[in-house]
Amino acid sequence: MKIAIIGLGFVGLSFASVLASKDYKTVGIDVDKNKCEKISKCDLPFFEPSLERTLRNGLKKGLVIGNDFSLIDGCDFIFVTVGTPQRPNGAIDLSMIKKAVSSIGKILCKNNKNPIIIIKSTVVPGTMKNVILPILEKESNKKAGDDFGLISNPEFLQESNAIKDTKFPHAVVLGGYQTKYMIKAKNFFSKLHPNTPIIITNHQTAEMIKYANNSFLATKISFINQLSNICQNIPGANIDDVAKTIGLDPRIGKSFLNAGPGYGGSCLPKDMKALINFANKIGIKSTLLKEVEKTNQKQITNIISILEEEIGNLKTKRITVLGTAFKPETDDIRDSTSIKLIKKLLEKGARITIHDPKAIENTKNMFGKKIKYKKSIIDSLIRSQCAIIMTQWKEYSKITNSTIRHMDKKIIIDSRRILADKNINANYHPIGIGYDK
Ligand SMILES: NC(=O)c1ccc[n+]([C@@H]2O[C@H](COP(=O)([O-])OP(=O)(O)OC[C@H]3O[C@@H](n4cnc5c(N)ncnc54)[C@H](O)[C@@H]3O)[C@@H](O)[C@H]2O)c1
């Protein structure tokens, strides 16, 4: 069996590496030639725990990487994992996926193989039927369901846990018509993930499941953040104890109840916007989802209010931002709340120094010389008038009174409550813990 993965980002490269390391004959294709060259040498284009080891193993076992689409020739399964980023109006940008499936269609036109094309990229309901299928049939001059299979298979992995999630997904969703291709796909996934529930449904439901998942997670985060803001105004109240306890109720569950500066990353904000935009188009007003977004945006405003209460006008004030990655154990800063905070602070004339264990390069690509970058936490705090902890890197839990000794003003805003139990000798503001004003 030969498998192609098209689009070697977090999703595609993790999947290709896992498949090859499990002895599937795998080819990985990406339009970015430089990226392909790096990956072939096991030089990762981004940081993801365990990926390097898995990729190295995959390459040893024959994983082929390239930018030439003819590599899909003779493949039984062709997975599409290209990006579907956000357009300015909130809708998803389908240009990459259109290009990718058009390239696949052209190759199908020339060969006699009957592959199954599986779309893992996140797309709004109807995209498979109204956009992807027509392009494939036109370019290949063949019929979906007869000459090739077409299946929606949304991906649920989380960055920083991508390899584990790829190996052990909580569910596999297969959307499409009940053809021989669906049976083959089901057999493939049952072997790849024994004991994992496989949900077989139609295209539009599979597409919707992905948005249901992410919009629910975003709702959970905004819910706990709103409660965190209430706790912050009740002297002594602690959001972590609230979250831990309600999380023990199996009807609620403990994940995604970690109050903080709001959700970010390449998926939740974009998928929320895409769902709201899609619902609007079909005449549904997503009142709840819009409030979830508003609550999320407000978290940064809350941090800036605390900062201004403490140090007044921010013009020329020296602020240290600890953490720019959207979560720990990644270097991904796409839609990171920390990046949004830095932009707002720059608008107000503040002078920013940042520290992040993995994301300095990506942050530099975004801000260049507008801000300063330090490799050590202590250095980032020298002469600082306020430190804001944004990302829950475990390094920040090691901050002590000695680490902050060179700060000009010892003010710390801790959006993750990492130092709450530490007796830090500073004007300390843990988000979500009530204190007397
Ligand atoms: N990152 C996540 O945590 C995550 C989780 C679940 C689902 N998803 C979804 O999976 C999809 C991929 O996400 P990602 O984060 O891996 O994206 P990414 O931006 O990290 O990578 C996408 C890759 O596709 C390549 N590409 C673009 N156009 C191409 C084309 N025509 N042919 C071949 N390659 C092409 C790009 O060069 C890039 O390397 C998106 O739809 C995303 O919403 C992402």
Side-chain angles (χ1 to χ4, degrees):
M1 181 183 296
K2 189 177 166 194
I3 301 172
I5 313 293
I6 302 196
L8 300 176
F10 286 87
V11 173
L13 186 54
S14 302
F15 194 47
S17 305
V18 166
L19 287 177
S21 68
K22 283 178 177 277
D23 296 312
Y24 288 96
K25 198 172 173 199
T26 310
V27 297
I29 299 163
D30 200 288
V31 278
D32 185 336
K33 201 172 168 206
N34 276 340
K35 198 173 198 178
C36 291
E37 278 167 11
K38 280 182 96 176
I39 295 171
S40 304
K41 291 182 211 144
C42 203
D43 178 4
L44 289 188
F46 47 81
F47 172 72
E48 176 61 41
S50 308
L51 177 57
E52 190 176 338
R53 191 164 18 104
T54 315
L55 173 61
R56 194 175 300 286
N57 193 10
L59 289 167
K60 241 191 240 161
K61 291 189 171 184
L63 171 63
V64 173
I65 302 287
N67 66 336
D68 177 2
F69 266 78
S70 67
L71 284 169
I72 67 172
D73 238 348
C75 280
D76 301 273
F77 291 97
I78 302 168
F79 286 88
V80 178
T81 53
V82 300
T84 46
Q86 191 185 306
R87 292 212 316 246
N89 68 354
I92 49 168
D93 179 349
L94 291 175
S95 57
M96 293 184 213
I97 205 160
K98 283 181 182 167
K99 244 188 182 164
V101 292
S102 160
S103 308
I104 297 171
K106 287 187 178 108
I107 305 270
L108 287 195
C109 184
K110 290 187 249 159
N111 70 25
N112 296 323
K113 192 91 186 164
N114 308 108
I116 305 180
I117 296 143
I118 303 191
I119 306 294
K120 270 193 172 295
S121 301
T122 303
V123 290
V124 293
T127 308
M128 194 65 143
K129 266 186 162 173
N130 305 328
V131 181
I132 295 173
L133 185 146
I135 295 176
L136 276 170
E137 288 192 337
K138 179 172 166 259
E139 296 295 348
S140 67
N141 212 6
K142 291 184 174 172
K143 189 105 189 73
D146 292 338
D147 305 318
F148 63 90
L150 188 56
I151 289 177
S152 305
N153 170 229
E155 175 58 54
F156 301 101
L157 70 74
Q158 288 188 71
E159 285 175 29
S160 82
N161 209 38
I163 293 299
K164 205 165 158 212
D165 288 346
T166 302
K167 284 183 177 167
F168 308 104
H170 66 274
V172 170
V173 176
L174 300 178
Y177 297 103
Q178 308 306 311
T179 60
K180 60 182 179 184
Y181 297 110
M182 181 61 89
I183 295 167
K184 192 171 169 193
K186 187 179 177 230
N187 290 340
F188 167 76
F189 279 106
S190 321
K191 200 168 156 221
L192 182 64
H193 305 303
N195 309 320
T196 302
I198 297 182
I199 290 88
I200 296 185
T201 181
N202 54 36
H203 287 301
Q204 51 278 36
T205 309
E207 291 164 329
M208 188 62 198
I209 287 171
K210 174 66 192 172
Y211 285 97
N213 223 86
N214 274 359
S215 58
F216 185 73
L217 295 176
T219 304
K220 244 181 142 181
I221 294 174
S222 278
F223 168 80
I224 204 70
N225 280 339
Q226 191 152 90
L227 293 203
S228 156
N229 296 341
I230 297 172
C231 282
Q232 206 169 309
N233 286 283
I234 309 170
N238 186 324
I239 190 60
D240 285 330
D241 289 346
V242 173
K244 205 165 44 189
T245 315
I246 64 169
L248 291 173
D249 185 331
R251 293 169 301 177
I252 296 175
K254 66 179 190 302
S255 59
F256 283 71
L257 285 180
N258 196 5
Y263 58 78
S266 70
C267 288
L268 294 193
K270 145 177 111 80
D271 292 351
M272 282 292 282
K273 287 208 163 47
L275 181 56
I276 291 170
N277 181 283
F278 171 75
N280 198 31
K281 271 193 192 148
I282 57 171
I284 304 295
K285 288 196 168 45
S286 316
T287 47
L288 173 64
L289 300 181
K290 280 185 182 159
E291 285 306 319
V292 167
E293 276 202 315
K294 255 193 220 162
T295 305
N296 195 53
Q297 284 150 12
K298 202 154 179 280
Q299 289 309 99
I300 289 184
T301 321
N302 291 344
I303 291 174
I304 295 176
S305 302
I306 298 173
L307 184 60
E308 287 178 328
E309 263 169 41
E310 284 298 337
I311 58 177
N313 190 329
L314 297 183
K315 202 159 182 173
T316 73
K317 299 283 166 55
R318 290 182 297 279
I319 315 288
T320 305
V321 175
L322 295 173
T324 53
F326 85 95
K327 66 191 291 196
E329 300 303 326
T330 182
D331 60 0
D332 196 351
I333 59 165
R334 289 179 289 180
D335 252 322
S336 158
T337 47
S338 182
I339 297 297
K340 287 185 191 143
L341 174 75
I342 294 169
K343 285 183 180 163
K344 285 198 190 297
L345 297 179
L346 285 175
E347 277 166 24
K348 287 174 179 279
R351 290 192 269 174
I352 309 293
T353 300
I354 67 113
H355 169 272
D356 190 285
K358 295 283 178 202
I360 286 189
E361 277 317 305
N362 285 341
T363 314
K364 256 187 199 165
N365 290 339
M366 175 161 289
F367 291 107
K369 290 185 175 155
K370 286 187 194 146
I371 63 175
K372 288 189 177 143
Y373 310 87
K374 295 289 174 190
K375 284 194 175 144
S376 92
I377 303 172
I378 291 196
D379 286 351
S380 74
L381 293 171
I382 292 172
R383 297 196 60 222
S384 174
Q385 291 158 298
C386 177
I388 309 174
I389 300 177
M390 290 295 285
T391 313
Q392 199 157 7
W393 284 105
K394 59 180 182 306
E395 282 84 342
Y396 301 145
S397 65
K398 294 183 188 132
I399 291 175
T400 61
N401 287 325
S402 165
T403 325
I404 63 168
R405 68 189 181 277
H406 297 304
M407 287 181 81
D408 255 10
K409 281 189 178 161
K410 294 188 176 52
I411 301 169
I412 299 177
I413 301 174
D414 184 353
S415 75
R416 306 287 181 174
R417 299 165 303 286
I418 292 181
L419 304 175
D421 298 329
K422 279 248 172 141
N423 238 340
I424 282 279
N425 191 8
N427 186 349
Y428 178 64
H429 297 269
I431 300 294
I433 298 182
Y435 52 90
D436 292 314
K437 291 192 175 168

